[in-house]
Amino acid sequence: MADPVVVVDGVSKRFRLYHERNRSLKAAILRAGRVRYDEFWALRDVSLEIEEGITYGLVGENGSGKSTLLKCIAKILRPDDGRIATRGKMAALLELGSGFHPELSGRENVFLNGSILGLSKRDLTARFDDIVGFAGLERFIDQPVKNYSSGMYVRLGFSVAINIDPDVLLVDEVLAVGDAVFQRRCNEKFADFRRAGKTVVIVSHATDALRTMCDRVAWLKDGQVVAEGRSEDVVDDYVDQGHEDRVEVTPEVAESRWGSGEVRLQHVTLVDSAGRETSHPSTGDAVTIRLRYRADKPVAKPVFGLALETLDGTWLWAHHTRDAGFVPDEIVGEGVVDLHVPNLMLQPGTYDLSASVVDYTTTHQYDYLRRCLRFDVEHGTPRESGGFVALGGRWVSDSFVA
Amino acid sequence: MSSVAELAESRELFVNLTLRELRGKYKRSVLGWTWSLLNPLANMVIFSVVFRYFLKVATTAGDPSGLKVFALWLLCGLLPWNFLSNGMSGSMGTLIANSNLIKKVFFPREILVASNIASWVVSFLLELGVLALVLVVAGSFVLPWLLPVIGLVVVQTLFVVGIGLVLSVLNVYFRDVQHFIGILLQIWFYATPIVYPISYVRDALKHRHVLFTLYKLNPMVRFVEAYRDCLYDRRFPPLLDTVFLVGVSVATLAVGVYVFTKLEPKLAEEL
């Protein structure tokens, strides 16, 4: 059980960045072998072992070398130094349907793609119905694949690859293909796969998925392994570290701004309990959202408002001073309004804040800053499994003790 | 794993890729496979008109077959030439055309070149079959001679694969290889006795034996002559020529395999 199926031993991979990318014989002859290039180490002395039967994740920022490592394991790239030993049949899902010929039918392509991935015709014939059924393409299987929608294309590619039943499956960012139904089927298939004691190596940016799916995770940074261990620990460290201090938050960084300008918001900040500005509070922290405004002439009954969105634009929360019954009769000059939040009940992730000053009817905007403050929430207490909000609930049961 | 073992394991892939090449080649064309015969036919008509009727190239009589038809004589040289030329152009583009595959899946890359050339072998055999039928209809019972012709096809395939391996991988590094090859193929075509009998060159270089020997170093000279010996004249090609051809082909293949394995590991990043 504890036998490693993939052993990566001191692997380095170097890419050449040519100054003049001139692919011509003339240029090659003129240079006479003196090629000018910079070297870029995509991987540097990476060593890790992947045990049989586990799901192994590779995380890291773009350009950290994780996909290069996966390609080296898949034998697509050859390392310049070091050694990679693998055991058993291996299949790589690097890009789905990459071997499809557009003019050939789905049926012909299943056989072609399957044989590229190393399946014999007999195996393919036996699994053909499964493959087509899984992709849900029974009706279209004799159509040329160029007539497929991109979703159908990818589904068929995934279906072929997952059905070849390898011992080691290498997956690169393909978990997000197809519609919701297909996604669920993919996840079920991955689960079956893991239950069957197969090894999966996944490269992904979807840290939540990695955390729940993987047993172990290696975190790569600049081509080196920074941390390796239980997935929860490594992924959490990775997520927390990724939140470097955000740049100075001022209204100028707002995505868009409009309003008549009688009142202007000058500064929107997030302040922690110690009174320091922060851009990465933790779940459960006491924080204050502080608005600085300026009104050159007296403005009657202004209403201040705040709203939170996720990066994909889901509207999470909004609150304004009229609903809170906190409206002054008049403001003039500079001033500050704070919103005290006793416990920040947001799960780890990145959020955008929008701020506004409107008139009492809330139909006329004095100033509106859309997405003017971006902050990252880090792991804190309570620590819950996923989503955007933390409810702070507690599991209890009369039926068992845990 | 040695590449030979890998190749054996990928036999099925080789067959499938060859089928893909064959199926894909004439998809969406009304005439389909007929094109593979129409092309050499058009060549034959053009060359016959220009060289036989305008330039008055003499028709050689088959010895001992006694056949005397310029178009057939021409085809016996033209078909092997087309095989070489198609195989070279095809293998040159195949790695680039399949770059998405190379970058995403591991499999022995030489299969791409091999399957592309294999698809040309299939067309070549088809053309030869039709030519043999026509020869029979023209009164030359050529069928027993197809056996040595098959042998020649095998030897020429080694030669073409050798060249194809080099060109395919070189073209990835230097895209001007394909333009260069376009010119080279034109020169090579006229440096080979396809549209003219070799006797013209022998006569022209009567007092310059060295030059004639040099001319004959072009392997295609002996290939075309050997095909003609079997198909048109119905006689065995000279043993020495055959030995020369086998030697050159094996050597070319060896060079091809060497160059390819040398440059292949970096393919995925160069593409």
Side-chain angles (χ1 to χ4, degrees), chain A residues 70 91-94 169-175 190 200-203:
Chain A
L70 199 70
L93 298 185
L94 297 185
L169 185 67
L170 310 174
V171 187
D172 192 356
E173 311 266 19
V174 289
L175 299 171
F190 273 121
V200 184
V201 184
I202 300 180
V203 164

Side-chain angles (χ1 to χ4, degrees), chain A residues 242-253:
Chain A
H243 301 155
E244 78 286 12
D245 286 349
R246 297 282 180 187
V247 284
E248 170 82 354
V249 262
T250 60
E252 281 68 48
V253 303

